[in-house]
Structures are given as C-alpha cells and as structure tokens.
Amino acid sequence: SQQGEEDPQALSIQEGENATMNCSYKTSINNLQWYRQNSGRGLVHLILIRSNEREKHSGRLRVTLDTSKKSSSLLITASRAADTASYFCATDAYTGNQFYFGTGTSLTVIP
Amino acid sequence: GAVVSQHPSRVICKSGTSVKIECRSLDFQATTMFWYRQFPKQSLMLMATSNEGSKATYEQGVEKDKFLINHASLTLSTLTVTSAHPEDSSFYICSARAFGTQYFGPGTRLTVL
C-alpha cells in the first residue's frame, strides 16, 4: 500500500491550545496537501506545500515538509472548537497521477 | 478553483441491486478522474483511476467487475457498484485533476440494506 501514516491517530486538546499532526509518506512527491473532513462530510482543502518548499503558512495553519525524511507536519495554532474534525495529508506522487491519503488524525477541541 | 460535483449525494438500495454514481467536472475538462472509498472512521482509499476514452486502472484488491467505471467524456466519470451488498456500504468520493492538483467531489454515501 502506498498510503501514508499519520500520528497521532487521535488528539484531544483544550480550546486555545496548539495542535500538531504529523504525516509520513513513502514515495517521491510533487506536493503534499492537507485536508479537513468533518464527520460524514466531504473534504475541505487546507493547504498545499510543494516538494521544493520547507514551510508554508495560511492563517492559523503552519505546514512543514521534510522530503529527506518523507514527513510533514500540520500545526493549528490557537485552536477553536470549530477545528474539531479529521485531518488527512495526501501526497501527489512524482510519478503517475495518483493521490494517496494518510491514515488521518481525529482532532477534538474541547471548549 | 475548479468544481467537481457528484450525484447522488446519498443513496439507499437493496442488496443485489446496482447503483450508479456520477462524477462531473463543472468548469474544466478532466482526462483523468479518481475514485476513492472511505469506510467509517477510516481514511480515503484510492480504488481506481478513470481515464477518458480508455479502461480504468484499478488498485490492487479492487474488483473491476464489481466496480465498473466509465469515463465517457472529458467532464463525466461514472462508478457503478454492481450487485451491491451491505459490505459495499461506504462513502465514495471522486476527484479530478486540474491545474496541477486534484479537486474533490462532495462524496456519495451508499447504504446497502
């Protein structure tokens, strides 16, 4: 399987705290993307980081990418209850068109 | 950004029937579309790559005779779950590649009774 892995599988924090999720993948990539999914709903695209980038910011989101370790992290600062969702990384492989998702992190932000 | 739609958004059917799910790219043409399946509390698993005008490419372990894919035009791919069974109940999501990345449909929830 080319599916990546994420940790932790589940994370529960208090509102206002920061949340960090990690993603590891297996193949060479063009880019890596992070998505959010609320329970039973579709995917919401959060941020894309290209293979030649090391860090990217978008609002309260900060993503890092280490291609030598084949890993990425997503940091959500000053979390809110509305951030409660599952978060997935997805890799856009260097060869082929396929997109492979990580196993996901379920984040719960307690008000 | 590009928009991908799916229809229906929800379907309930009896065991043994076939169900067709449509995936459309609304404002762009997509020579390649992808179908994913997501079981409750799990990640999205790529099922197959749909290529316009040619046969789909299936991931290992996905039965091509069970999940029929037709990519008849540059804006439409269909997934037909044949002789559906309760274990096929899942959330099916399609995506289309455009502008260097993939855009996802809102998903179709299939429940087989």
Side-chain angles (χ1 to χ4, degrees), chain A residues 61-73:
Chain A
L61 305 180
R62 172 177 169 258
V63 168
T64 63
L65 178 65
D66 187 335
T67 53
S68 66
K69 295 181 179 178
K70 291 188 167 58
S71 67
S72 175
S73 68

Side-chain angles (χ1 to χ4, degrees), chain A residues 39-50:
Chain A
S39 181
R41 308 293 293 274
L43 296 169
V44 174
H45 182 260
L46 295 177
I47 197 165
L48 178 154
I49 186 166
R50 302 191 186 283

Side-chain angles (χ1 to χ4, degrees), chain A residues 31 48 50, chain B residues 1-3 27-29 96-103:
Chain A
N31 62 65
L48 178 154
R50 302 191 186 283
Chain B
V3 177
D27 48 3
F28 65 100
Q29 294 182 333
R97 179 170 283 273
F99 315 114
T101 188
Q102 290 198 21
Y103 294 88

Side-chain angles (χ1 to χ4, degrees), chain A residues 35-90:
Chain A
Y35 290 84
R36 185 182 76 201
Q37 185 182 38
N38 289 79
S39 181
R41 308 293 293 274
L43 296 169
V44 174
H45 182 260
L46 295 177
I47 197 165
L48 178 154
I49 186 166
R50 302 191 186 283
S51 60
N52 61 351
E53 296 176 312
R54 292 297 166 258
E55 188 171 312
K56 203 161 184 180
H57 297 255
S58 177
R60 294 185 295 113
L61 305 180
R62 172 177 169 258
V63 168
T64 63
L65 178 65
D66 187 335
T67 53
S68 66
K69 295 181 179 178
K70 291 188 167 58
S71 67
S72 175
S73 68
L74 170 68
L75 168 67
I76 303 175
T77 60
S79 63
R80 304 167 182 168
D83 294 329
T84 295
S86 291
Y87 291 82
F88 297 94
C89 65

Side-chain angles (χ1 to χ4, degrees), chain A residues 1-3 6 30-31 33 35 37 39-43 45 48 50 88 92-93 96-104, chain B residues 10 32 34 36 38 41-46 49 51 57 59 91 93 95 97 99-107 109:
Chain A
S1 168
Q2 299 199 45
Q3 186 177 40
E6 289 178 62
N30 279 324
N31 62 65
Q33 304 189 41
Y35 290 84
Q37 185 182 38
S39 181
R41 308 293 293 274
L43 296 169
H45 182 260
L48 178 154
R50 302 191 186 283
F88 297 94
D92 198 347
N97 283 318
Q98 289 81 5
F99 228 49
Y100 292 100
F101 283 83
T103 49
Chain B
R10 189 182 295 267
T32 304
F34 303 88
Y36 297 82
Q38 184 182 31
K41 298 190 185 302
Q42 295 189 26
S43 185
L44 283 79
M45 296 297 293
L46 179 64
T49 302
N51 303 297
T57 305
E59 294 295 298
F91 194 51
I93 302 177
S95 72
R97 179 170 283 273
F99 315 114
T101 188
Q102 290 198 21
Y103 294 88
F104 289 86
R109 183 159 304 282

Side-chain angles (χ1 to χ4, degrees), chain B residues 79-110:
Chain B
L79 169 69
T80 301
V81 183
T82 62
S83 187
H85 291 283
E87 57 264 30
D88 297 323
S89 297
S90 188
F91 194 51
Y92 292 86
I93 302 177
C94 72
S95 72
R97 179 170 283 273
F99 315 114
T101 188
Q102 290 198 21
Y103 294 88
F104 289 86
T108 297
R109 183 159 304 282
L110 170 63

